[in-house]
Amino acid sequence: MDNKWRPTANLELIKLRAWLLKRVRDFFSQRDLLEVETPLLGQHTVSDPHLKSFTVGSACGGENLFSGFLQTSPEYFMKRLLAAESVSIFQICKAFRDEEMGCHHNPEFTLLEWYRCGYDHQQLMLEVRELIDELFASKAKKLTWDAFSYQQLFEKYLGINPHVVSRDVLLELCVAYVGLEQVQGLTKDNCLDLLLSYNIVPKLKNKGAVFVFDYPRSQAALAKLSKKADNIVVASRFELYINGLEIANGYHELTDQQEQKKRFADDNGRRQKSGSDDVIADDKLLAALEAGLPECAGVAIGLDRLLMALSGAKTIAEVQAFAFNSV
Protein backbone atom coordinates (compact mmCIF):
# COMPACT_ATOMS: atom_id res chain seq x y z
CA MET A 1 0.00 0.00 0.00
CA ASP A 2 1.20 3.53 -0.82
CA ASN A 3 2.06 5.33 2.45
CA LYS A 4 2.70 8.76 0.91
CA TRP A 5 -0.53 10.00 2.47
CA ARG A 6 0.83 9.58 6.00
CA PRO A 7 2.08 12.52 8.13
CA THR A 8 5.83 13.05 8.20
CA ALA A 9 5.86 13.52 12.01
CA ASN A 10 5.01 10.66 14.36
CA LEU A 11 2.37 10.95 17.08
CA GLU A 12 4.95 11.63 19.81
CA LEU A 13 6.28 14.66 17.97
CA ILE A 14 2.78 15.87 17.07
CA LYS A 15 1.96 15.80 20.79
CA LEU A 16 5.23 17.56 21.61
CA ARG A 17 4.29 20.39 19.22
CA ALA A 18 0.89 20.78 20.91
CA TRP A 19 2.60 20.87 24.31
CA LEU A 20 5.11 23.45 23.10
CA LEU A 21 2.41 25.79 21.75
CA LYS A 22 0.55 25.65 25.06
CA ARG A 23 3.66 26.26 27.16
CA VAL A 24 4.71 29.22 25.01
CA ARG A 25 1.27 30.80 25.36
CA ASP A 26 1.32 30.20 29.12
CA PHE A 27 4.75 31.85 29.36
CA PHE A 28 3.55 35.06 27.72
CA SER A 29 0.20 35.05 29.50
CA GLN A 30 2.05 35.08 32.82
CA ARG A 31 3.98 38.13 31.61
CA ASP A 32 0.89 39.98 30.33
CA LEU A 33 1.90 40.06 26.68
CA LEU A 34 -1.02 40.38 24.29
CA GLU A 35 -1.38 37.66 21.67
CA VAL A 36 -2.15 39.12 18.24
CA GLU A 37 -2.90 37.85 14.75
CA THR A 38 -1.80 39.54 11.54
CA PRO A 39 -2.23 38.73 7.81
CA LEU A 40 -0.22 35.99 6.14
CA LEU A 41 -0.82 37.65 2.76
CA GLY A 42 0.29 41.24 2.23
CA GLN A 43 0.92 43.75 -0.55
CA HIS A 44 4.52 44.26 0.60
CA THR A 45 7.38 42.00 1.61
CA VAL A 46 10.83 42.28 3.13
CA SER A 47 13.66 43.88 1.18
CA ASP A 48 16.39 41.72 2.73
CA PRO A 49 18.51 40.46 -0.22
CA HIS A 50 18.95 37.09 1.50
CA LEU A 51 15.21 36.37 1.60
CA LYS A 52 12.95 35.41 -1.29
CA SER A 53 9.18 35.62 -0.92
CA PHE A 54 6.39 33.63 -2.55
CA THR A 55 4.25 35.81 -4.78
CA VAL A 56 0.48 35.38 -5.03
CA GLY A 57 -1.87 36.65 -7.74
CA SER A 58 -5.66 36.67 -7.72
CA ALA A 59 -8.48 38.23 -9.72
CA CYS A 60 -10.12 39.30 -6.43
CA GLY A 61 -13.72 38.98 -7.57
CA GLY A 62 -12.88 39.44 -11.21
CA GLU A 63 -12.21 43.17 -10.96
CA ASN A 64 -8.66 44.13 -9.95
CA LEU A 65 -5.75 41.77 -10.14
CA PHE A 66 -4.21 41.50 -6.67
CA SER A 67 -0.50 40.80 -6.51
CA GLY A 68 0.92 40.15 -3.09
CA PHE A 69 3.30 38.10 -1.02
CA LEU A 70 3.13 35.35 1.56
CA GLN A 71 4.86 36.90 4.57
CA THR A 72 8.38 35.80 5.53
CA SER A 73 7.55 36.97 9.07
CA PRO A 74 4.80 39.08 10.72
CA GLU A 75 7.32 41.83 11.57
CA TYR A 76 5.97 44.70 9.47
CA PHE A 77 2.37 44.17 10.58
CA MET A 78 3.34 43.75 14.22
CA LYS A 79 5.32 47.00 14.14
CA ARG A 80 2.27 48.81 12.79
CA LEU A 81 0.34 47.46 15.78
CA LEU A 82 3.11 48.61 18.11
CA ALA A 83 3.09 52.10 16.62
CA ALA A 84 -0.68 52.31 17.11
CA GLU A 85 -0.98 50.86 20.61
CA SER A 86 2.49 50.78 22.31
CA VAL A 87 1.82 47.47 24.06
CA SER A 88 4.07 44.40 24.25
CA ILE A 89 2.76 41.70 21.90
CA PHE A 90 3.48 38.18 20.66
CA GLN A 91 2.30 35.99 17.81
CA ILE A 92 2.55 32.35 16.73
CA CYS A 93 1.98 32.00 13.00
CA LYS A 94 2.99 30.37 9.76
CA ALA A 95 5.70 32.06 7.69
CA PHE A 96 6.90 31.35 4.16
CA ARG A 97 10.27 31.63 2.42
CA ASP A 98 10.97 30.59 -1.14
CA GLU A 99 14.28 28.82 -0.57
CA GLU A 100 15.76 25.39 -1.03
CA MET A 101 14.53 22.61 1.19
CA GLY A 102 17.00 20.94 3.51
CA CYS A 103 17.54 19.39 6.91
CA HIS A 104 16.89 22.73 8.59
CA HIS A 105 14.68 24.47 5.99
CA ASN A 106 11.09 24.09 4.86
CA PRO A 107 9.29 26.68 2.69
CA GLU A 108 6.45 26.84 5.24
CA PHE A 109 7.31 26.93 8.93
CA THR A 110 5.99 28.06 12.31
CA LEU A 111 7.32 31.26 13.81
CA LEU A 112 7.06 32.74 17.29
CA GLU A 113 7.67 36.48 17.27
CA TRP A 114 7.39 38.96 20.13
CA TYR A 115 8.13 42.59 20.91
CA ARG A 116 8.91 44.11 24.29
CA CYS A 117 8.28 47.83 24.74
CA GLY A 118 11.10 49.54 26.65
CA TYR A 119 13.59 46.68 26.13
CA ASP A 120 16.91 46.65 24.31
CA HIS A 121 18.38 43.53 22.71
CA GLN A 122 20.40 42.61 25.80
CA GLN A 123 17.27 42.62 27.99
CA LEU A 124 15.40 40.58 25.41
CA MET A 125 18.20 38.01 25.33
CA LEU A 126 17.54 37.38 29.04
CA GLU A 127 13.85 36.75 28.39
CA VAL A 128 14.64 34.43 25.49
CA ARG A 129 16.85 32.46 27.87
CA GLU A 130 14.06 32.31 30.46
CA LEU A 131 11.66 30.86 27.89
CA ILE A 132 14.11 28.30 26.53
CA ASP A 133 15.26 27.22 30.01
CA GLU A 134 11.67 26.77 31.15
CA LEU A 135 10.83 24.60 28.13
CA PHE A 136 13.91 22.41 28.47
CA ALA A 137 13.49 22.06 32.24
CA SER A 138 9.90 20.88 31.70
CA LYS A 139 11.34 18.00 29.71
CA ALA A 140 14.00 17.29 32.36
CA LYS A 141 16.72 18.73 30.13
CA LYS A 142 19.30 21.34 31.03
CA LEU A 143 21.21 23.63 28.69
CA THR A 144 24.56 25.26 29.23
CA TRP A 145 24.65 28.91 28.17
CA ASP A 146 27.28 31.19 26.73
CA ALA A 147 27.38 34.50 24.86
CA PHE A 148 29.95 35.97 22.47
CA SER A 149 30.02 39.08 20.40
CA TYR A 150 30.34 38.52 16.65
CA GLN A 151 33.82 39.99 16.90
CA GLN A 152 34.85 37.65 19.73
CA LEU A 153 33.91 34.58 17.68
CA PHE A 154 35.86 35.69 14.61
CA GLU A 155 38.89 36.55 16.72
CA LYS A 156 38.66 33.26 18.62
CA TYR A 157 38.31 30.93 15.64
CA LEU A 158 39.81 32.86 12.72
CA GLY A 159 42.11 35.42 14.33
CA ILE A 160 40.52 38.40 12.57
CA ASN A 161 38.43 41.39 13.56
CA PRO A 162 35.39 41.18 11.23
CA HIS A 163 34.64 44.90 11.53
CA VAL A 164 37.97 46.10 10.14
CA VAL A 165 39.39 43.16 8.17
CA SER A 166 39.80 43.72 4.42
CA ARG A 167 37.77 41.92 1.77
CA ASP A 168 40.99 40.56 0.24
CA VAL A 169 41.93 38.80 3.50
CA LEU A 170 38.42 37.36 3.75
CA LEU A 171 38.54 36.10 0.16
CA GLU A 172 41.77 34.24 0.90
CA LEU A 173 40.16 32.55 3.91
CA CYS A 174 37.04 31.63 1.93
CA VAL A 175 39.02 29.89 -0.81
CA ALA A 176 39.77 27.02 1.58
CA TYR A 177 36.05 26.26 1.88
CA VAL A 178 34.55 26.86 -1.58
CA GLY A 179 37.48 27.14 -3.98
CA LEU A 180 38.96 30.00 -5.97
CA GLU A 181 36.27 30.16 -8.66
CA GLN A 182 33.42 30.36 -6.14
CA VAL A 183 34.81 33.35 -4.23
CA GLN A 184 34.92 35.62 -7.28
CA GLY A 185 32.40 38.42 -6.83
CA LEU A 186 31.71 37.77 -3.15
CA THR A 187 31.13 40.89 -1.07
CA LYS A 188 32.66 41.36 2.36
CA ASP A 189 29.38 40.37 3.99
CA ASN A 190 29.12 37.31 1.72
CA CYS A 191 32.56 36.27 2.96
CA LEU A 192 31.68 36.82 6.61
CA ASP A 193 28.49 34.77 6.21
CA LEU A 194 30.41 31.98 4.53
CA LEU A 195 33.09 31.87 7.22
CA LEU A 196 30.47 31.95 9.95
CA SER A 197 28.61 29.02 8.36
CA TYR A 198 31.61 26.89 7.39
CA ASN A 199 34.08 27.59 10.18
CA ILE A 200 32.40 29.00 13.29
CA VAL A 201 28.91 27.49 13.53
CA PRO A 202 30.19 23.88 13.28
CA LYS A 203 32.29 24.59 16.38
CA LEU A 204 29.11 25.48 18.30
CA LYS A 205 27.49 22.07 17.80
CA ASN A 206 28.40 20.71 21.23
CA LYS A 207 28.31 23.96 23.20
CA GLY A 208 24.65 24.06 24.24
CA ALA A 209 22.95 27.43 23.87
CA VAL A 210 25.10 30.26 22.52
CA PHE A 211 24.07 33.87 21.95
CA VAL A 212 25.93 35.80 19.25
CA PHE A 213 25.44 39.57 19.46
CA ASP A 214 26.62 42.92 18.05
CA TYR A 215 26.76 42.08 14.35
CA PRO A 216 28.53 44.24 11.72
CA ARG A 217 26.65 47.45 10.94
CA SER A 218 26.22 46.29 7.33
CA GLN A 219 24.15 43.36 8.67
CA ALA A 220 21.83 45.46 10.82
CA ALA A 221 18.66 44.64 8.84
CA LEU A 222 15.99 46.33 11.03
CA ALA A 223 18.16 46.86 14.12
CA LYS A 224 19.52 50.04 15.67
CA LEU A 225 23.20 50.85 15.46
CA SER A 226 25.38 51.52 18.51
CA LYS A 227 28.99 52.59 19.06
CA LYS A 228 31.23 50.38 21.19
CA ALA A 229 34.08 51.50 23.46
CA ASP A 230 36.58 51.06 20.60
CA ASN A 231 34.44 53.40 18.43
CA ILE A 232 33.36 50.56 16.15
CA VAL A 233 29.69 50.88 15.17
CA VAL A 234 27.76 47.61 15.40
CA ALA A 235 24.22 46.39 14.85
CA SER A 236 22.24 45.93 18.08
CA ARG A 237 21.23 42.45 17.04
CA PHE A 238 21.57 38.89 18.34
CA GLU A 239 21.11 35.32 17.21
CA LEU A 240 20.71 32.20 19.35
CA TYR A 241 22.20 28.83 18.42
CA ILE A 242 21.41 25.60 20.24
CA ASN A 243 24.06 22.97 19.54
CA GLY A 244 24.94 24.77 16.32
CA LEU A 245 21.35 25.13 15.09
CA GLU A 246 20.15 28.71 14.60
CA ILE A 247 16.98 29.17 16.63
CA ALA A 248 16.36 32.91 17.05
CA ASN A 249 17.11 36.31 15.56
CA GLY A 250 16.47 39.48 17.58
CA TYR A 251 16.93 43.25 17.32
CA HIS A 252 16.88 46.42 19.34
CA GLU A 253 14.39 47.73 16.82
CA LEU A 254 15.08 50.62 14.47
CA THR A 255 12.59 53.46 15.04
CA ASP A 256 14.02 56.08 12.65
CA GLN A 257 11.86 56.41 9.52
CA GLN A 258 14.52 58.12 7.40
CA GLU A 259 17.12 55.49 8.28
CA GLN A 260 14.61 52.74 7.45
CA LYS A 261 13.90 54.36 4.07
CA LYS A 262 17.64 54.47 3.37
CA ARG A 263 18.02 50.80 4.28
CA PHE A 264 15.19 49.85 1.90
CA ALA A 265 17.09 51.64 -0.87
CA ASP A 266 20.40 50.02 0.10
CA ASP A 267 18.76 46.58 0.10
CA ASN A 268 17.43 47.15 -3.40
CA GLY A 269 20.89 48.19 -4.51
CA ARG A 270 22.27 44.88 -3.27
CA ARG A 271 19.36 43.00 -4.84
CA GLN A 272 20.14 44.56 -8.22
CA LYS A 273 23.79 43.54 -7.97
CA SER A 274 22.78 39.94 -7.23
CA GLY A 275 20.22 39.84 -10.05
CA SER A 276 17.17 39.79 -7.78
CA ASP A 277 14.01 41.82 -8.32
CA ASP A 278 13.54 45.13 -6.54
CA VAL A 279 11.10 45.26 -3.63
CA ILE A 280 8.79 48.25 -3.28
CA ALA A 281 9.27 49.85 0.13
CA ASP A 282 6.36 49.28 2.52
CA ASP A 283 4.89 52.78 2.77
CA LYS A 284 2.60 51.76 5.62
CA LEU A 285 5.54 50.60 7.74
CA LEU A 286 7.34 53.87 6.99
CA ALA A 287 4.22 55.81 7.99
CA ALA A 288 4.04 53.84 11.23
CA LEU A 289 7.66 54.70 12.00
CA GLU A 290 6.95 58.36 11.27
CA ALA A 291 3.95 58.26 13.60
CA GLY A 292 6.22 56.84 16.29
CA LEU A 293 7.33 53.28 16.98
CA PRO A 294 7.96 52.92 20.72
CA GLU A 295 11.45 51.98 21.92
CA CYS A 296 11.37 48.19 21.82
CA ALA A 297 13.20 44.97 21.10
CA GLY A 298 11.84 42.09 19.06
CA VAL A 299 12.78 38.50 18.34
CA ALA A 300 11.67 35.69 16.05
CA ILE A 301 12.10 32.03 17.05
CA GLY A 302 11.63 29.16 14.63
CA LEU A 303 9.42 26.77 16.58
CA ASP A 304 10.13 23.86 14.23
CA ARG A 305 13.85 24.18 14.91
CA LEU A 306 13.19 24.58 18.63
CA LEU A 307 11.24 21.31 18.45
CA MET A 308 14.26 19.72 16.78
CA ALA A 309 16.46 20.87 19.66
CA LEU A 310 13.97 19.62 22.26
CA SER A 311 13.37 16.24 20.63
CA GLY A 312 16.75 15.46 19.12
CA ALA A 313 15.23 15.23 15.63
CA LYS A 314 17.80 15.49 12.84
CA THR A 315 15.57 17.10 10.20
CA ILE A 316 12.83 19.71 10.21
CA ALA A 317 10.52 17.31 8.34
CA GLU A 318 10.44 15.02 11.39
CA VAL A 319 8.76 17.67 13.55
CA GLN A 320 6.22 18.92 10.99
CA ALA A 321 2.96 17.02 10.58
CA PHE A 322 3.21 17.49 6.83
CA ALA A 323 6.53 18.69 5.47
CA PHE A 324 6.55 20.35 2.06
CA ASN A 325 7.52 17.20 0.17
CA SER A 326 4.37 15.43 1.48
CA VAL A 327 1.71 18.04 0.75
Side-chain angles (χ1 to χ4, degrees):
M1 181 182 292
D2 187 349
N3 285 324
K4 292 182 179 179
W5 60 270
R6 297 190 64 85
T8 49
N10 61 38
L11 182 58
E12 179 183 351
L13 288 173
I14 291 173
K15 288 181 176 179
L16 183 63
R17 177 179 288 269
W19 170 87
L20 176 64
L21 295 176
K22 181 179 184 305
R23 291 302 296 256
V24 167
R25 287 190 164 97
D26 288 346
F27 179 89
F28 290 114
S29 176
Q30 293 164 8
R31 287 159 177 77
D32 295 323
L33 269 74
L34 176 67
E35 183 172 9
V36 299
E37 184 178 70
T38 60
L40 295 179
L41 181 63
Q43 294 184 356
H44 294 279
T45 189
V46 293
S47 59
D48 188 329
H50 298 102
L51 298 179
K52 185 178 179 181
S53 304
F54 286 103
T55 58
V56 179
S58 171
C60 284
E63 296 181 2
N64 299 315
L65 180 67
F66 173 86
S67 180
F69 303 90
L70 291 175
Q71 299 300 290
T72 60
S73 92
E75 181 168 5
Y76 289 5
F77 286 114
M78 292 183 79
K79 285 183 174 177
R80 288 167 61 184
L81 283 173
L82 281 166
E85 305 299 341
S86 296
V87 60
S88 296
I89 55 178
F90 80 98
Q91 179 169 191
I92 299 171
C93 66
K94 291 295 184 180
F96 304 85
R97 296 181 185 177
D98 187 2
E99 56 189 15
E100 293 182 8
M101 289 182 59
C103 292
H104 303 152
H105 296 89
N106 194 71
E108 178 182 343
F109 56 99
T110 304
L111 201 61
L112 162 65
E113 192 155 325
W114 80 92
Y115 293 83
R116 275 290 203 172
C117 293
Y119 276 36
D120 63 18
H121 64 303
Q122 295 286 347
Q123 290 169 299
L124 191 57
M125 286 164 63
L126 294 176
E127 187 164 59
V128 170
R129 176 171 177 170
E130 289 173 3
L131 171 63
I132 301 297
D133 269 341
E134 184 175 304
L135 293 171
F136 273 73
S138 296
K139 292 300 180 182
K141 296 182 179 182
K142 184 174 177 60
L143 281 173
T144 59
W145 287 85
D146 216 333
F148 300 94
S149 72
Y150 191 93
Q151 179 177 339
Q152 286 173 326
L153 284 178
F154 273 81
E155 289 177 340
K156 177 181 177 68
Y157 293 117
L158 288 162
I160 58 173
N161 182 334
H163 303 296
V164 300
V165 67
S166 71
R167 175 174 172 267
D168 288 342
V169 169
L170 291 173
L171 288 173
E172 289 179 10
L173 291 170
C174 289
V175 167
Y177 297 99
V178 296
L180 183 60
E181 290 185 5
Q182 296 299 317
V183 303
Q184 304 303 318
L186 291 182
T187 66
K188 181 175 178 178
D189 279 322
N190 291 153
C191 292
L192 290 173
D193 287 343
L194 189 152
L195 292 170
L196 183 71
S197 299
Y198 281 82
N199 183 289
I200 296 173
V201 170
K203 295 180 173 69
L204 305 181
K205 285 188 176 179
N206 297 311
K207 293 189 178 297
V210 177
F211 280 116
V212 183
F213 60 92
D214 289 352
Y215 278 66
R217 65 181 301 171
S218 56
Q219 299 179 26
L222 301 178
K224 287 179 178 288
L225 300 178
S226 61
K227 184 178 289 188
K228 309 309 289 181
D230 54 9
N231 286 324
I232 290 177
V233 176
V234 298
S236 300
R237 171 186 168 192
F238 69 85
E239 292 189 356
L240 172 65
Y241 292 84
I242 297 181
N243 293 323
L245 180 63
E246 182 191 339
I247 300 292
N249 187 15
Y251 308 138
H252 187 188
E253 299 293 345
L254 180 66
T255 58
D256 185 317
Q257 186 231 35
Q258 291 303 314
E259 175 63 19
Q260 182 61 72
K261 188 181 293 186
K262 178 181 180 298
R263 292 193 193 177
F264 279 150
D266 290 344
D267 281 349
N268 273 333
R270 287 193 287 271
R271 294 178 74 87
Q272 290 171 4
K273 288 181 179 179
S274 66
S276 299
D277 293 334
D278 281 5
V279 169
I280 297 174
D282 189 335
D283 56 338
K284 295 182 178 67
L285 174 64
L286 292 172
L289 293 176
E290 185 176 24
L293 183 71
E295 286 292 322
C296 62
V299 62
I301 292 181
L303 289 186
D304 307 284
R305 291 188 180 185
L306 183 54
L307 276 169
M308 289 175 64
L310 276 166
S311 66
K314 302 300 182 185
T315 68
I316 197 168
E318 295 175 64
V319 299
Q320 295 179 320
F322 295 96
F324 192 72
N325 57 7
S326 71
V327 298

